[in-house]
Amino acid sequence: MERIREVIVVEGRYDKNTVSQVVDATVVTLGGFAVFNDKEKLAFLRRLAEKQGLIILTDSDGAGFLLRNYLKGALPKDRVKQAYIPDVKGKERRKRKGGKEGKLGVEGMSPAVLLEALRRAGATFESEAPPERREAITKADLFALGLSGGEGSAEKRRLLLKRLDLPEHLTANGMLEALNLLFDRRELEELLEEK
C-alpha cells in the first residue's frame, strides 16, 4: 500500500473507509456540511495544512464542490492540493437510490481511479521522487487556446473536462489548477491539437 505524506480530507466516514483501503495516509472527514459551523474542525484542518499539507478529495457533485470551495477560501492555498474524481453515473452499493445528480462519490470509485486522482493532485508518495517543475499554464494561455473568454469557450472547456475525466462542475480557475497538475503548456497545446 502506497504511503502519502499529506493528510487527505474527505466528506464522510464511508469515503474515509474507501480511501484508507487504497493508501496509507491520515484521512480526516468533514462530516459533510457540518464543517460550515465547526470552527474547531477548521482550525484543526489549518494546523494539519501547515504541518503536512492537505489534499481535498470530495465527490464530483454540487455538494462536493460547495465543500471544496468553502475549504479553498478557509485554508492556506499554498498548503492545499485538489484531487478530483471523474463524473461517473451510478450509485453506491450501500444506498437504496443514487444521489440527486446520479453520480458515484469517492466511496464508489475503484482503487485505481482514486490513486490516479491523488497522483494528478500532486500527492507526495513517499516511495517516489518528487516530480520536476514544469512551465505553468496561465489564464492567458487558456484564452489563447480558446478555452476562456471567447465564443464557444464554455463548450470547449466542457469537452476537454470530459476527455480528461475531470468533473463538469470545475470552474475555469479550477480547470486551470487541474491542468497545471497534469500538463505543462506545450503538452496542453499538443493535446488540444489531437482530435
Side-chain angles (χ1 to χ4, degrees), residues 30 56-60 63-73 81-85 167 170:
L30 294 173
I56 297 175
L57 178 62
T58 60
D59 296 349
S60 60
F65 272 83
L66 192 63
L67 288 165
R68 182 185 297 276
N69 289 332
Y70 172 74
L71 293 175
K72 272 185 182 178
K81 297 175 181 177
Q82 303 289 330
Y84 299 102
I85 59 171
L170 275 179

Side-chain angles (χ1 to χ4, degrees), residues 114-186:
L114 290 173
L115 273 173
E116 181 62 20
L118 293 167
R119 276 191 206 298
R120 286 178 163 192
T124 308
F125 288 85
E126 293 189 353
S127 63
E128 300 173 1
E132 60 187 63
R133 303 278 303 161
R134 305 184 297 190
E135 188 177 1
I137 301 163
T138 65
K139 286 184 179 183
D141 294 326
L142 292 185
F143 184 80
L145 295 167
L147 293 167
S148 71
E151 190 173 323
S153 62
E155 180 63 11
K156 283 184 179 178
R157 275 196 313 275
R158 188 188 68 72
L159 291 171
L160 180 61
L161 291 171
K162 184 174 178 95
R163 184 174 171 193
L164 297 175
D165 276 334
L166 291 169
E168 65 185 336
H169 287 287
L170 275 179
T171 62
N173 285 338
M175 184 182 79
L176 179 63
E177 184 179 351
L179 289 174
N180 271 307
L181 292 169
L182 298 170
F183 309 104
D184 64 23
R185 185 181 306 144
R186 183 189 49 76

Side-chain angles (χ1 to χ4, degrees), residues 31-94:
F33 293 142
V35 74
F36 293 149
N37 300 313
D38 192 340
K39 289 180 174 49
E40 291 84 14
K41 172 80 69 139
L42 209 50
F44 177 60
L45 291 173
R46 277 192 201 103
R47 283 196 311 275
L48 289 173
E50 290 298 334
K51 186 172 187 228
Q52 287 178 257
L54 295 179
I55 298 174
I56 297 175
L57 178 62
T58 60
D59 296 349
S60 60
D61 60 6
F65 272 83
L66 192 63
L67 288 165
R68 182 185 297 276
N69 289 332
Y70 172 74
L71 293 175
K72 272 185 182 178
L75 299 171
K77 288 181 181 13
D78 63 326
R79 303 293 298 154
V80 178
K81 297 175 181 177
Q82 303 289 330
Y84 299 102
I85 59 171
D87 287 331
V88 177
K89 297 289 183 196
K91 72 168 193 65
E92 282 79 14
R93 274 185 259 158
R94 71 176 177 85

